[in-house]
Every structure is written in structure tokens, then in C-alpha cells.
Amino acid sequence: MSTPYFEHLRRDLDFILYPVMGIERLCERDAFSSHSRETFDAMIDAGLRLAAEHFEPHAALADREEPRWDGERVILPEAVGIALEAFRDGGFVAAAFPEAVGGLGLPYAVTQAMMATFYGANPSTAAYPLLTAAAANLLRAFGTEDQQRRFMQPMLEGRFFGTMCLSEPQAGSGLADVRTVAHPQPDGSYHLVGDKMWISGGEHDLSETIVHLVLARLPDAPPGVKGISLFIVPKHHVDQAGALGERNGVLLTGLNHKMGYRGTVNTALAFGSEAPAVGEMVGAPHQGLHCMFHMMNEARVGVGLGATMLGYAGYRHSLQYARERHQGRHPDQRDPSQPPVPIIEHADVRRMLLSQRVYAEGGLALAIYCARLIDEMATATGDEERQRTDDLLQILTPIAKAWPSKYGPRANDLAIQILGGYGYTRDFPVERLYRDNRLNPIHEGTNGIQALDLLGRKVTMHQGRAFQALLHEIRRSMDRHAEASSDHEELTKGLSEALGLVTETTMLLGGAAMQGKVRLFLANAGAYLDMLGHVVIAWMWLEQAATATRLLSTMSDLDETFLRGKVTAARFFFRYELPKIRVWAELLKRLDDTTLELDTHEL
Amino acid sequence: MSTPYFEHLRRDLDFILYPVMGIERLCERDAFSSHSRETFDAMIDAGLRLAAEHFEPHAALADREEPRWDGERVILPEAVGIALEAFRDGGFVAAAFPEAVGGLGLPYAVTQAMMATFYGANPSTAAYPLLTAAAANLLRAFGTEDQQRRFMQPMLEGRFFGTMCLSEPQAGSGLADVRTVAHPQPDGSYHLVGDKMWISGGEHDLSETIVHLVLARLPDAPPGVKGISLFIVPKHHVDQAGALGERNGVLLTGLNHKMGYRGTVNTALAFGSEAPAVGEMVGAPHQGLHCMFHMMNEARVGVGLGATMLGYAGYRHSLQYARERHQGRHPDQRDPSQPPVPIIEHADVRRMLLSQRVYAEGGLALAIYCARLIDEMATATGDEERQRTDDLLQILTPIAKAWPSKYGPRANDLAIQILGGYGYTRDFPVERLYRDNRLNPIHEGTNGIQALDLLGRKVTMHQGRAFQALLHEIRRSMDRHAEASSDHEELTKGLSEALGLVTETTMLLGGAAMQGKVRLFLANAGAYLDMLGHVVIAWMWLEQAATATRLLSTMSDLDETFLRGKVTAARFFFRYELPKIRVWAELLKRLDDTTLELDTHEL
């Protein structure tokens, strides 16, 4: 990746943040009143600089020199530590936290835009502070003052790093079956016993210590998710003054060797297997999953943004290659004495570029939209606004996680194809992006789980209130743009038809649910997410196209060709992608039960 | 992979080879009259044993310990050489060659079924003899007696290995721009000068020497593909008696480090950069590409089969995992005190399994069908049969290559998803299968090239004769099955509608071509291949379902559950996959020109 990459990213972020999403209007709210577009831009520029200088340059190295255990410690390339030190020194960890706790008090939407620069440049190294900020955020919401002082504060300063210890070897998607037990001690502490799996950042020397946030059961807890509590278990004991003591009983039992995302050390940890693993409870007993769910929207939107940015990085890289690489001739100009044309001239290469673009920039717009909802939720002034915002965020979160993590990897696949043999080698970054991105449909709730969450919970909750709020929001947007200009007729017509199909399909499915046919109702939840996801992304493209058209007819310092490109990309999405929803809708409308009726012995 | 894997594969091969494709009827032809189902089965069983004993066990190792250059030679894991020795000693290299040259005279369809066992077990190691057989086959068709004696014969004995040197750093897909020059020498030999790229098996010590088949231009050759000739350039000089001499001027300039298929050493070679690279011409001047095209159908069908088998291996692995892994509960049975269910109980996991199955076994049927056409071509007794067979093979080849190499990787993606976090680690084979399979859409003509070949050449050639032959063949098959049983109504109805759509779309596209709008005609060739590919695979599933139904109503030693599974899988394909063709047909029918009209500065 090169300087032009970061320039293009800056332009894309600018366009989506301000003219499309109006993020600067957040400054009208008390919580962000000390900010302005200037402070937002300063943060994003600082992110871009740091990502270009310290993150992108070692992305390939961190992939090649995977973390290893030398018997005493986890060895990572030196560049990882240097980058994270620069990240910490720049005050990035706490950027989204209030000024009262030493943060910058920036809107989440702005910090997400800032993080987007790191996700595209080097997601593996960015994962450490990301996890730390997420853990700190949990402690801000549920920790005691004392816990915040001893654990959250050093995390925000970048001195301690954090982890999330949810999964166990036998329980990844199924957290109801978490087995780790926290035994209460006379002094009010707990001794945790159990095995945790897939713990990113579970062991390293990048920070003074590591703060593990661990899901476990009290000995008398009820079964299932209602019996899970949350605990702080630090790698080293931390005394009342916040000073580090001896190592706690958290043992590294293995490093996981992954296909991608290799720079992020991923571990299996044993709690209390040799020495006691002393912890303290966060929040109330049995409320552990509730606490975790508090963070879920942000975490899931963040995963979607990461998947989008890997797709975006592949798009920019393959675009540059397609402009420079000469090969083949037009089908009506086969004269071999003429020089070959740049491959961007070939229709199929253009299709592959436009597909990548609509996936990546569509997902980026959705991520920023959801991040704005998070900011609006946090600063809502009335119940009505809070409810509407919460409804939208609830129903959009599974889409914002799953859609980009399905189509981001598809984009990366196309980037490889454009580079051909070169794309299949480790000399170019596109194969690494492809490997890295394959993680995203798996973690933070698999895409299958997201689909069940969307259709089984979010669409039906409050008698479909969130679903109606989403349709209302999309229709309002269509009306506004139709009023402003007649240029979007193709798009508004397409989206209007799509909404009709979605409504019809949802009603029909709802009928099955009301009859108690729960398995039939959910049998094709994945197709439902695909369908609604494509409609939401179509909406995001209408927003971008309408904004570009508006700017083209007024004075704007944005480049005209760039703006026209947004309109072209939107049309491509409506012509090549949106029609796919008919296939999904058909499958859903006939309540296809092929998978339910399957005799699995036949496989 | 375990013994059950090979048992399942044996059963699937049996079903497709005999009841579905009637391969045993090839023995009625003179060329195969010394064979019987028994000799076919003996070959396939020998392949299965060898694949299980010597290929599968080192697949992960060969991926991990990538070939490296120590300054003097290419180092490969010892197991690769041992496996290839066993392969050679078993007489596998020459299995498809006539008995006259020391082969077994087996039908191509049978040797493909035999190779299928290696592709699924360890495609990287299987690539060496595969390339060798392909090169030997070229020499059998175009080499002089002398060349056959000195080069082909030792290749068939497995003493020499072969390569295909087509691509150059600036010319991968665009062979018209090959630059390597062959300078004629007074003694009738040629000195080749130029750089070749992506040469699999280009340097190693696995064989006594390496026979490079090289595309190059004579100094006075016309530009483009009509000026390319074919040369033998061995790694060592080979004298008239066939004895090896000093090294020839073929220099290893680099190893390519790939994402997958790592066990196959892939090289950049310089010809004549230090010492002269002495070669001899194969066939007539300027006929090099013609010679290569002679092999193209077989090579492309072989790539498709390889992609299919990687998909098949992932399917079998994730199926076993889905039966054994317990996690989650049914959506209408959330009681956490009940044990979690095997994940094969979940509808979405079943969808992912059935999708993998229809991709893999659909592709396998098509590969065997095409291989049978190759046998029928080679043994055709009349012009009419030869023409019909050639037409079918011509039009099916781009589909047989591109379709499985698109949907095979999709299958591997689903296998990873079923294994979740475990699937993303190198402790399970599914991530390696995913990486290996990503090569297949790229090599042996990218899938974009296949799409242009299909629509721009095969569909239109001889006034659509091959296209009509294909439709005729599918209709004949439908009629036959409709007559035999009324059980296939859903399938025949679906396929009939699909054929109508394909015909309509093809006529409309043909109209654009006749008006000379060549770019518009070909703008969405990829969607055309997707559409026709899905229809052909639907046909393959009808064949399998109808055969299974027939066997279910008669005495058969095939397991009933297995046969019912074929019917279930066919229905799944018709319900979940075939409807997608409507979206592609729509795009094609409106002659969408979005990509042609694109101003690429907008990207």
C-alpha cells in the first residue's frame, strides 16, 4: 500500500462522514460540543499517518513471523511493539472515552473512521488496542470505581492490555454451555477454574500486564446463559494501589495457528490449573452475558467495519494493478501487432472492480451509519429518540456484522483474481487480505448466529417495531431524495420494489412464526439476512448517489469525477447485486423445508 | 482424512462411473476391449490405496515445509519423493496410455476417477506426475519417433518428469504476447532465449531430469498466437542414445511463494541467460499453440476435477465434524439443562453441507461425463459420432473447468464455516483445502477466459451447432427419465424452464453478436457461464437422481439410504441453486452495458 491508498481512503471517509452521514451535526449535542469537524479531521489524519508509518509497513512481516512460544514468553516481531507504543502515545486507545477519564470525548463514529485506517492497513496489530478499549469500555459501564481505577485507567493509558475470555474448547457459538467455575473465597475474591479458547491477545509482553475479562459460573449458578457471571482475572496480581505483583494462575496452554490474522496472538488459556486464578466479579452475579451484550453492538459493528476495510484494501490494490498491468486486447480488436491494453479495459475486470467497490464502500457507509446510531443512543435526549435509535441499531447490528463479513471476503477473492498468478503469491498483499478476512464470518457470533438473531429476535421484537422503524427510515430517505432530484428514479424504483418484496416475505414468515412453526420460520434465516442485507446496502448506495448528485449540482470542493463514480457504483449495485434478493425471497416465501426434512444419514 | 473418507469416495465414484455414466460400456469399443469393470475397479482401488498410504499422510507437511532453494538444489520433504516413487512403480503415470507404449490402455474416464483419489488427498504431490503425463501426451501426438523414444518413454516410466512452459512474466492470460525466441542453429537444434513464469515442477531432484515443453517464437515468426512454436528443452542434454549429459541452459531464477498448492514447486526460469538453452522443435513451425490446444480439453477438465475433489474433501471432513461436534439447541428447545445437539441438527449447517455436496458431486459427475466424451472422441467410429462428441466436449470444457473452480472454493469456504474457529486453524485440513483451491480459477485459463471461450467461441461456432447438441442431449435425457418414472417431475419441470430461459437468453445475445456489437455481446460472458454452468450441473443432478430412483426400484447392491441421498441432494440443487439463473439471465437479456460505459477514472 502506498500514499495514494491513504489519500483515497481519506477522501472516501470524508465523503461518507460529512456530506452523507452529517457526522459534524453531532457537535450540536452537549457531549460533543467541544468538538468540530476540525478536531474530527485532526484525529482521522493522525490515524492515517500512524497507520501509514507504523502499521502498514509490518503487516506482511507480522503475517510471516507468526507469534511463537519460546518456553518462557511469546515472541512477536519488534515492529508490533513499536507500532503499539506509537498508538498509545498518540492517545488513540482512549479516543472514544470521555475527557473525564482521560479520553478525547470523540464520537464513536469518528473513532470508527479513525480505526478504519488501521483495519485496512494491519488488522492484526490493531486488534490489541481494539480489544483493550472494548474491555475498558465494559469496566466503564459495569466496574466499580476501584476496578476502574486499578484496571480501566491503565488500560486507557495503554499500560495494560485487555482480552475477552468467552469461548471454551467445547463452547464457541454456544455460550450457554460455558463451564468455567468461579469459586467464592472468604476475602470476597474468586478462584476461577476452567479452560478458555480462541483468546486473542491472551499472552504477550506488549503491555505491563493483561486484564482478562472472563465469563464463568458461580458454583450454584443456574444452567444456561442466565447463570454466567463476569470476572476480572489479571495476568499479574494488582494490589489496592494498582501495583503489579506476582503472576496469577492463568496459564498459556497453547497458541492457535491460524490461516490469517496471524499477527494477533491467539491462545488457549487454563485458569487455576496450577496456581489459583484469582479474580473479582464485575457487575452482579449471573449478569455476565448481560454485561457482554452491552458491548455487543459496538463489537459487531466493529467486526463488520474490519471486514469492509480488508475488502477496501484489496479493491484499491487490485484497482492500481488493473490500471498498470497490460494484457490482452478488446474482443473486436485482436490485431497482435497492436500493444496489449491495460486490463482495466476488459469488461470482466471492470465487473470485478465495481463489485469490490460496492461491497467495500457500501459496508463502510453502513458501519458509519451504525456508529452514528451508537452516538445518538448515547446522547439521546428523549425517550422517543432513544427508542427509535435503539430499534434501528438492534435490527441493523446483525447485518452490519454479517453482510460485510460475507461480501468483504468475496471482494478479496476478486482482488486475487484480477492479479492472477501474482495475486496467488505472497509477494502481493491480496492473498493475505483474503486469509485475514476469512476470520470475520466466524468470530463475534458466526454469520449463522447473526441470521438467527436478525430474524428470530430483532425482526420480531416489540411486534416488529424495529423492522417497521427500518422500513420507515428507508422510505423517508427515498422520499427526500425523490423530492430533491429526478435523477435517482432507477434507484428509488428498484429500492421501492425491494421493500415491497421484503415486506411481503417478512409477513409470510411472521405467519409461520405465529403458528408456532419456529423451526420452519428460521430454516432459511441466512437467506433472510442476505436479502435484508442487500436492501440495506442498496439504501446506503442510494444515500451516497443522491449526496453525490446534490454536490455535483452545487459548489463543492469534492472532485467531480469522484462524485460521478459514486453514482456509477450505486447503479452497478442496483443492476448486478440487488436483483439477487428475488432468489432469496422466493426461497423464503415458499417456506422451504428441505434442510429440516433431511434425513442426515443420507449425507 | 480417514479410511471412511476413501470408502465414501469409492462409493461415489462407483455410482457415477457405472450406473450413471455407464463407463463399463466403453469396453465394447475395440480400444478398450481387453478391459472390464474388474480391471477398472482394480485401478481405482490401487489409486485409493496409494492415495491413502502415501499421498494423504504428507499433505499437511508438504504445505508447511514449502519447497526451498539451498543455493544448489530445491529441497522438498522426503515424503514427496517416496510417494512419487510408489506412484511410478504402480504404473500410474502411463495408465491412460496405450499398451503399445507401455501403458495400461485404460479409458481416460477411469484414469480420471483414479486421479480424483489423489486430487482430494494431496493435489500438490499429484501435480508432478499429472504434468508429466500431459507433456508425454503432447509428445505422443506431435513428437517424432526419436523424440518419443528419448523423452516420452522415460516420462511414461516416471524416470523423467515434464513441465509446460507457457506463461511469461508479462504474458499469463495473453499468450499472444509470448516473447521467448528460439534461434535456429546449423545442426537443426534451437537456442532458446527468454523468461518463463509460473512453471510448476520447473526445478527439483525428484526425477533424473525434467523435460520442459516450451512455447517460443522463431525469429521470423508472425506476431500473435500464429507465430508460436513448441520446443523440447530438457534440464540436461539428452543424447541420441537417451543418455543424460551436462545441464542445459535452463536457469532457476526464483521460486514463487504461493498461498496454497505449496507442495508443488513453482518457478521462474530463464532460458539461455548464461549457457545456451538447446532445444528441438515439436511439430511444425508456428503450430505451438495448436499443439497445446490439442491437450486443452483434457487439461481443463482435469483442473475442474481437481477443484471438485478439493471441494469434496472439505465436504466429507466437515460432515464428519458436524456429526461429532455438539453445540447449541433447536430454536424451539432452548432448555439449557438438556445437552447440546450435534451441529448437523441445525438447519443452516445442513444447508452448508448440502451446498458443498451438490457442488462437489455435481462437478464430479460433469468431469466424468467429459472424460467419457474424450474416450468416445478417441474411439469414435463414424464422422457423425465424432462431430457430436466433439461439439459436446468443446462446449462443455469451459464449464467443466470454470464451474467447479468457482463453486469448489465456495464449498471449501462452507467447510471452514462449519468447523468455526477450528476450521480457521492449521490443525484441520479445511483451511488448506481452501487455500489450495484458490489456484484453480486462475490457472489453465482464468475463469474470465473460459467465459469468453464459452460464449464468444463455443456457443457461436458452426452456427450454434454445439449449443444445439448440448440442448438436445439434455432434452433427450429429460425425456428418457420422464418416461421411466414420474418421480422426477419437480426436476424435469425445473430443468425444462431453465432450458427455455437459456435458449431465450442465447438468442437475444446472438442478435447482438450478429449486429457486430461484439463487446456488448461479451460484456457479461461471466454471467452466461454461471447460467449455463448451473443448468449443466442441474442436468448432472437429474441424471444422478433418476439413476438412484431406478436403482431403488430394482435389485441393487447399493445402499438405499445412499441412493435416497442422491435424490435429496438433487432436489436441494433445484431449490437452492438453479433459481439463481434467473438473475443472470435477466442481466444478460437486457444487454447490460454498465461495465462497458464505465469511465475508469471514476474508480
Side-chain angles (χ1 to χ4, degrees):
Chain A
M1 264 178 282
S2 53
T3 314
Y5 169 81
F6 290 101
E7 283 167 8
H8 283 115
L9 175 55
R10 179 66 156 88
R11 194 181 60 179
D12 282 320
L13 288 173
D14 264 7
F15 176 72
I16 290 174
L17 281 172
Y18 305 119
V20 178
M21 296 294 167
I23 294 300
E24 69 276 18
R25 286 200 301 274
L26 288 172
C27 303
E28 295 162 12
R29 298 178 178 230
D30 284 350
F32 306 121
S33 61
S34 66
H35 282 290
S36 63
R37 176 160 174 178
E38 282 65 41
T39 59
F40 294 172
D41 284 350
M43 188 69 203
I44 292 165
D45 282 335
L48 284 162
R49 266 195 311 275
L50 182 58
E53 276 171 34
H54 278 298
F55 279 67
E56 194 277 322
H58 76 272
L61 174 77
D63 177 67
R64 204 163 55 238
E65 295 184 12
E66 192 174 35
R68 65 189 169 79
W69 174 246
D70 74 353
E72 292 191 7
R73 53 191 216 95
V74 169
I75 314 288
L76 287 161
E78 208 182 354
V80 174
I82 294 169
L84 292 175
E85 212 171 296
F87 193 92
R88 189 190 63 196
D89 294 347
F92 289 95
V93 185
F97 283 73
E99 290 165 58
V101 296
L104 301 175
L106 282 162
Y108 189 67
V110 174
T111 59
Q112 283 301 91
M114 179 274 285
M115 283 310 293
T117 68
F118 294 98
Y119 289 139
N122 186 336
S124 291
T125 299
Y128 297 97
L130 184 78
L131 284 162
T132 301
N137 209 349
L138 253 183
L139 294 184
R140 188 162 76 90
F142 300 104
T144 61
E145 247 179 71
D146 179 66
Q147 287 168 343
Q148 292 184 353
R149 178 179 54 82
R150 285 157 61 228
F151 298 104
M152 180 190 79
Q153 211 59 52
M155 287 161 88
L156 293 181
E157 290 161 19
R159 288 171 39 222
F160 298 177
F161 281 1
T163 75
M164 297 288 193
C165 300
L166 284 69
S167 296
E168 297 179 0
Q170 84 295 345
S173 292
L175 290 179
D177 297 303
V178 155
R179 284 185 201 150
T180 299
V181 177
H183 299 279
Q185 303 300 310
D187 66 353
S189 73
Y190 295 84
H191 285 186
L192 278 83
V193 180
D195 292 306
K196 290 291 176 180
M197 187 59 168
W198 312 123
I199 310 308
S200 288
E203 180 59 62
H204 56 70
D205 293 332
L206 296 167
S207 54
E208 295 174 24
T209 196
I210 301 172
V211 180
H212 302 292
L213 293 186
V214 187
L215 290 186
R217 298 182 180 283
L218 296 177
D220 60 350
V225 294
K226 289 176 182 160
I228 298 176
S229 307
L230 180 65
F231 300 86
I232 295 171
V233 186
K235 174 178 164 183
H236 299 89
H237 296 288
V238 177
D239 71 14
Q240 268 309 311
L244 294 180
E246 292 296 298
R247 274 200 73 141
N248 200 357
V250 184
L251 196 72
L252 178 75
T253 51
L255 298 184
N256 292 311
H257 298 288
K258 306 185 300 299
M259 172 164 66
Y261 249 97
R262 293 192 180 188
T264 307
V265 62
N266 188 277
T267 60
L269 299 176
F271 287 80
S273 64
E274 297 193 354
V278 182
E280 44 195 279
M281 194 184 290
V282 180
H286 314 323
Q287 293 297 308
L289 218 63
H290 168 78
C291 296
M292 279 292 173
F293 265 95
H294 176 77
M295 305 298 313
M296 214 58 109
N297 290 333
E298 293 180 34
R300 290 181 169 177
V301 171
V303 167
L305 179 61
T308 279
M309 292 313 300
L310 287 168
Y312 182 89
Y315 165 56
R316 298 302 326 179
H317 195 91
S318 62
L319 173 59
Q320 189 184 332
Y321 185 88
R323 290 195 202 284
E324 290 166 6
R325 172 81 170 171
H326 287 64
Q327 193 149 213
R329 288 156 189 86
H330 286 291
D332 53 2
Q333 293 181 338
R334 294 283 195 202
D335 179 0
S337 66
Q338 295 297 312
V341 299
I343 62 172
I344 199 169
E345 289 297 311
H346 301 309
D348 196 50
V349 172
R350 291 177 176 194
R351 173 190 66 82
M352 294 193 278
L353 289 169
L354 281 163
S355 298
Q356 291 180 71
R357 180 176 187 174
V358 295
Y359 295 153
E361 297 177 13
L364 181 58
L366 179 59
I368 299 296
Y369 181 82
C370 289
R372 193 184 78 187
L373 288 175
I374 291 170
D375 288 319
E376 288 171 354
M377 264 293 282
T379 58
T381 45
D383 285 350
E384 198 186 323
E385 186 195 358
R386 189 171 294 112
Q387 181 190 298
R388 189 193 63 91
T389 314
D390 186 45
D391 282 348
L392 286 173
L393 187 58
Q394 294 285 352
I395 196 164
L396 285 173
T397 293
I399 296 171
K401 190 275 171 179
W403 195 92
S405 65
K406 173 168 181 178
Y407 293 95
R410 291 273 170 99
N412 293 134
D413 178 61
L414 296 171
I416 291 177
Q417 195 65 14
I418 288 174
L419 270 72
Y422 294 99
Y424 195 61
T425 69
R426 275 125 61 203
D427 299 331
F428 291 83
V430 290
E431 67 86 32
R432 173 168 46 79
L433 299 173
Y434 180 72
R435 286 186 288 108
D436 284 353
N437 219 350
R438 188 60 192 79
L439 173 62
N440 287 314
I442 298 172
H443 68 163
E444 207 53 49
T446 66
N447 284 4
I449 300 276
Q450 302 300 327
L452 293 174
D453 179 51
L454 175 65
L455 184 57
R457 195 175 299 143
K458 304 305 178 57
V459 166
T460 47
M461 67 183 191
H462 313 306
Q463 289 80 45
R465 197 179 70 199
F467 177 70
Q468 292 303 336
L470 175 62
L471 293 194
H472 177 74
E473 208 59 26
I474 299 178
R475 289 222 176 84
R476 216 161 57 102
S477 170
M478 283 163 55
D479 292 346
R480 198 169 57 237
H481 297 314
E483 214 167 279
S485 156
S486 59
D487 288 1
H488 323 302
E489 209 186 328
E490 179 185 354
L491 309 191
T492 46
K493 192 159 162 282
L495 191 49
S496 181
E497 280 172 23
L499 288 182
L501 202 55
V502 164
T503 306
E504 193 188 331
T505 307
T506 307
M507 301 264 286
L508 222 146
L509 287 169
M514 305 249 273
Q515 291 166 47
K517 298 176 182 168
V518 179
R519 293 194 196 185
L520 190 61
F521 167 56
L522 292 173
N524 293 293
Y528 190 87
L529 193 150
D530 264 325
M531 178 186 68
L532 193 54
H534 259 56
V535 170
V536 165
I537 298 294
W539 170 37
M540 290 294 121
W541 274 111
L542 170 64
E543 287 290 319
Q544 294 187 69
T547 305
T549 306
R550 177 167 54 79
L551 292 174
L552 278 165
S553 68
T554 56
M555 294 295 289
S556 154
D557 51 3
L558 279 165
D559 181 66
E560 275 192 29
T561 313
F562 168 78
L563 293 171
R564 278 200 307 272
K566 285 289 184 180
V567 178
T568 301
R571 286 197 185 124
F572 179 86
F573 190 88
F574 276 73
R575 291 170 188 174
Y576 278 72
E577 290 292 330
L578 190 57
K580 293 178 183 172
I581 67 168
R582 291 180 213 164
V583 177
W584 296 315
E586 247 174 62
L587 179 78
L588 290 159
K589 282 199 286 183
R590 70 165 184 267
L591 296 170
D592 194 293
D593 63 355
T594 310
T595 55
L596 298 183
E597 294 300 314
L598 176 70
D599 170 1
T600 58
H601 298 98
E602 289 179 1
L603 291 177
Chain B
M1 265 178 284
S2 51
T3 314
Y5 169 82
F6 290 102
E7 283 168 9
H8 283 114
L9 174 56
R10 179 65 157 89
R11 194 182 59 177
D12 282 320
L13 287 173
D14 264 8
F15 176 72
I16 290 174
L17 281 171
Y18 304 118
V20 179
M21 296 294 167
I23 293 301
E24 68 278 19
R25 287 200 299 276
L26 287 172
C27 302
E28 296 161 13
R29 299 179 177 227
D30 283 350
F32 307 121
S33 60
S34 66
H35 282 290
S36 63
R37 175 159 173 177
E38 282 64 40
T39 59
F40 295 172
D41 283 350
M43 188 69 204
I44 292 165
D45 281 335
L48 284 162
R49 266 195 311 275
L50 183 56
E53 275 170 34
H54 278 299
F55 279 68
E56 195 275 323
H58 76 272
L61 174 77
D63 176 70
R64 205 165 52 236
E65 293 183 11
E66 191 174 38
R68 65 191 170 77
W69 174 246
D70 74 352
E72 290 189 9
R73 53 189 217 96
V74 168
I75 314 289
L76 286 161
E78 209 182 354
V80 175
I82 294 169
L84 292 175
E85 214 170 294
F87 192 92
R88 190 190 62 198
D89 294 347
F92 289 95
V93 185
F97 284 73
E99 290 164 56
V101 297
L104 302 175
L106 282 162
Y108 189 68
V110 175
T111 59
Q112 283 301 93
M114 179 274 284
M115 282 309 294
T117 67
F118 295 99
Y119 289 140
N122 186 337
S124 291
T125 298
Y128 297 98
L130 184 77
L131 285 161
T132 300
N137 208 350
L138 253 183
L139 294 182
R140 187 162 77 90
F142 301 104
T144 62
E145 250 180 65
D146 180 66
Q147 288 168 344
Q148 292 183 354
R149 178 180 52 83
R150 288 159 59 228
F151 298 104
M152 182 190 78
Q153 212 59 54
M155 286 161 87
L156 293 182
E157 292 161 17
R159 290 171 38 223
F160 298 177
F161 280 1
T163 75
M164 298 287 193
C165 301
L166 284 68
S167 296
E168 298 180 359
Q170 84 295 345
S173 293
L175 290 178
D177 297 302
V178 155
R179 284 184 200 150
T180 299
V181 177
H183 299 279
Q185 302 300 308
D187 66 352
S189 73
Y190 296 84
H191 286 186
L192 279 82
V193 179
D195 293 305
K196 290 290 176 182
M197 187 60 170
W198 312 124
I199 310 309
S200 287
E203 178 61 59
H204 56 71
D205 294 330
L206 297 167
S207 55
E208 296 175 23
T209 194
I210 301 171
V211 180
H212 301 291
L213 293 186
V214 187
L215 291 185
R217 297 179 181 286
L218 297 175
D220 60 350
V225 293
K226 289 175 182 160
I228 298 176
S229 307
L230 180 64
F231 299 86
I232 295 170
V233 186
K235 173 178 164 182
H236 299 90
H237 295 288
V238 176
D239 72 15
Q240 269 309 309
L244 294 181
E246 293 294 299
R247 274 201 72 139
N248 200 357
V250 185
L251 196 72
L252 178 75
T253 51
L255 297 184
N256 292 313
H257 299 287
K258 307 187 298 299
M259 173 164 66
Y261 248 98
R262 292 191 180 190
T264 307
V265 61
N266 188 277
T267 60
L269 300 176
F271 288 79
S273 64
E274 296 191 353
V278 182
E280 43 195 277
M281 194 184 289
V282 180
H286 314 323
Q287 294 297 307
L289 219 62
H290 168 77
C291 297
M292 280 290 173
F293 265 93
H294 176 78
M295 307 299 313
M296 213 59 106
N297 290 334
E298 293 181 35
R300 289 180 171 178
V301 171
V303 167
L305 179 60
T308 279
M309 292 313 300
L310 287 169
Y312 181 89
Y315 165 56
R316 298 296 335 174
H317 194 91
S318 62
L319 173 59
Q320 188 183 331
Y321 185 89
R323 291 197 202 281
E324 292 167 5
R325 172 81 170 171
H326 287 61
Q327 193 149 211
R329 287 155 188 88
H330 286 293
D332 53 3
Q333 293 180 338
R334 294 284 193 202
D335 178 0
S337 66
Q338 295 299 310
V341 299
I343 62 171
I344 200 170
E345 289 297 312
H346 301 307
D348 196 51
V349 171
R350 293 176 175 197
R351 174 190 64 84
M352 294 193 280
L353 290 168
L354 281 163
S355 298
Q356 290 180 71
R357 179 174 189 178
V358 295
Y359 295 152
E361 296 176 13
L364 181 58
L366 179 60
I368 299 297
Y369 181 82
C370 289
R372 193 184 79 187
L373 288 175
I374 290 170
D375 288 319
E376 288 171 353
M377 263 295 282
T379 58
T381 47
D383 285 349
E384 199 186 322
E385 185 194 359
R386 190 172 294 113
Q387 181 189 297
R388 190 192 63 90
T389 314
D390 188 45
D391 281 349
L392 286 173
L393 186 58
Q394 294 285 351
I395 197 164
L396 285 174
T397 294
I399 294 171
K401 190 273 171 180
W403 195 92
S405 65
K406 176 169 179 175
Y407 293 96
R410 291 272 171 99
N412 294 134
D413 179 60
L414 297 173
I416 293 178
Q417 194 67 14
I418 288 174
L419 270 73
Y422 293 100
Y424 194 62
T425 70
R426 276 124 63 202
D427 299 329
F428 291 82
V430 290
E431 68 86 29
R432 173 167 47 79
L433 300 172
Y434 180 73
R435 286 186 289 108
D436 284 353
N437 219 348
R438 188 59 192 80
L439 174 61
N440 287 314
I442 297 173
H443 70 162
E444 209 53 49
T446 65
N447 283 5
I449 300 274
Q450 303 299 329
L452 293 173
D453 180 51
L454 174 65
L455 184 58
R457 196 176 297 143
K458 304 305 179 55
V459 167
T460 48
M461 68 182 190
H462 313 305
Q463 290 78 48
R465 198 180 68 200
F467 177 70
Q468 292 303 335
L470 176 62
L471 293 194
H472 177 74
E473 209 58 26
I474 298 177
R475 288 221 177 83
R476 216 162 56 103
S477 171
M478 282 162 54
D479 292 345
R480 198 168 60 238
H481 298 313
E483 214 166 282
S485 156
S486 60
D487 288 1
H488 324 301
E489 209 186 328
E490 179 185 354
L491 308 190
T492 47
K493 190 158 165 283
L495 191 49
S496 181
E497 280 173 20
L499 288 181
L501 201 54
V502 164
T503 307
E504 193 189 332
T505 307
T506 307
M507 300 265 284
L508 221 146
L509 286 169
M514 304 251 272
Q515 291 168 45
K517 296 175 183 168
V518 179
R519 294 194 197 184
L520 190 60
F521 168 56
L522 293 172
N524 294 293
Y528 190 86
L529 193 150
D530 265 325
M531 178 186 67
L532 193 53
H534 259 56
V535 170
V536 166
I537 298 295
W539 171 36
M540 290 296 120
W541 273 111
L542 170 64
E543 285 292 317
Q544 294 187 69
T547 304
T549 306
R550 177 166 55 79
L551 293 174
L552 278 166
S553 67
T554 58
M555 295 293 290
S556 156
D557 51 3
L558 278 165
D559 180 67
E560 274 193 32
T561 314
F562 168 78
L563 293 171
R564 278 201 306 274
K566 286 287 185 180
V567 178
T568 301
R571 288 200 185 124
F572 180 85
F573 190 88
F574 276 73
R575 292 171 188 176
Y576 278 72
E577 289 293 329
L578 190 58
K580 292 179 182 170
I581 68 167
R582 291 180 212 163
V583 176
W584 296 316
E586 246 175 61
L587 180 77
L588 289 158
K589 283 200 286 184
R590 69 165 185 265
L591 295 169
D592 194 293
D593 65 353
T594 310
T595 55
L596 299 182
E597 294 300 315
L598 175 71
D599 170 0
T600 57
H601 298 99
E602 289 179 1
L603 291 176

